[in-house]
Amino acid sequence: MAFLGKSYVHEKDENFEDFIENLGMPIERAAFYKSKFQPVHKVERNGDVFTLSAVCPDETKQVSFKIGEEFEEKISPIHVAKTIFTLDGNTLNQVQKFPHGYDVTYKREYFDDKLITTLTTNKWNGKAVRYYKLKA
């Protein structure tokens, strides 16, 4: 878990706009994610509790979890998902299951100098990839 405590800065995306469009979120929220959500990612650990942070100038998202334990994650004031994180070496997987039938999967692969996040959903046949570099 060499990635703990390190910050990763957003560099570029593949198919991220298509991914967002297939989530069915409100137009204003989708526009924010497509144009402004280019966060700095960081994972920290305190005992068996991990905290994943995504920090942008306009918004910060933070979620705390225990590996392998499902919990209710508040995504927005009106959306809650059943979420579980698993860890396989330097790959942190997150699955969100929403009551309306959407499942969203994040596969975060940490390398010495980069983070590659692959996003998929059961309501779209494609995948999106977000690339981050280790913050100097």
Side-chain angles (χ1 to χ4, degrees):
M1 290 186 280
F3 59 88
L4 290 174
K6 294 181 180 176
S7 295
Y8 296 85
V9 180
H10 179 264
E11 278 192 304
K12 64 181 180 176
D13 297 315
E14 291 175 10
N15 296 325
F16 187 65
E17 288 189 16
D18 291 339
F19 171 78
I20 293 298
E21 288 173 10
N22 280 281
L23 292 178
M25 63 178 61
I27 293 170
E28 303 83 28
R29 196 72 185 142
F32 167 76
Y33 278 106
K34 289 189 230 176
S35 65
K36 295 184 179 180
F37 194 67
Q38 299 175 349
V40 174
H41 269 278
K42 187 176 193 178
V43 179
E44 297 174 291
R45 182 179 183 180
N46 183 2
D48 60 351
V49 176
F50 291 78
T51 301
L52 173 65
S53 301
V55 179
C56 289
D58 295 339
E59 182 174 301
T60 296
K61 292 186 163 284
Q62 199 171 55
V63 62
S64 294
F65 56 92
K66 292 181 179 181
I67 298 296
E69 289 188 16
E70 187 178 74
F71 65 98
E72 289 194 354
E73 180 182 6
K74 188 173 182 180
I75 307 299
S76 72
I78 60 170
H79 291 100
V80 175
K82 296 280 188 179
T83 299
I84 191 165
F85 283 84
T86 57
L87 184 62
D88 182 14
N90 282 332
T91 300
L92 182 63
N93 296 294
Q94 176 184 8
V95 177
Q96 297 171 322
K97 294 182 181 228
F98 292 87
H100 59 293
Y102 273 85
D103 295 347
V104 180
T105 301
Y106 305 80
K107 179 181 180 182
R108 295 177 180 93
E109 297 175 275
Y110 294 90
F111 300 91
D112 289 338
D113 60 348
K114 65 186 173 187
L115 161 62
I116 299 174
T117 301
T118 304
L119 303 102
T120 57
T121 177
N122 64 329
K123 301 294 184 177
W124 180 50
N125 290 330
K127 69 176 180 178
V129 183
R130 304 199 87 190
Y131 297 90
Y132 300 81
K133 65 180 178 181
L134 184 62
K135 186 175 180 179

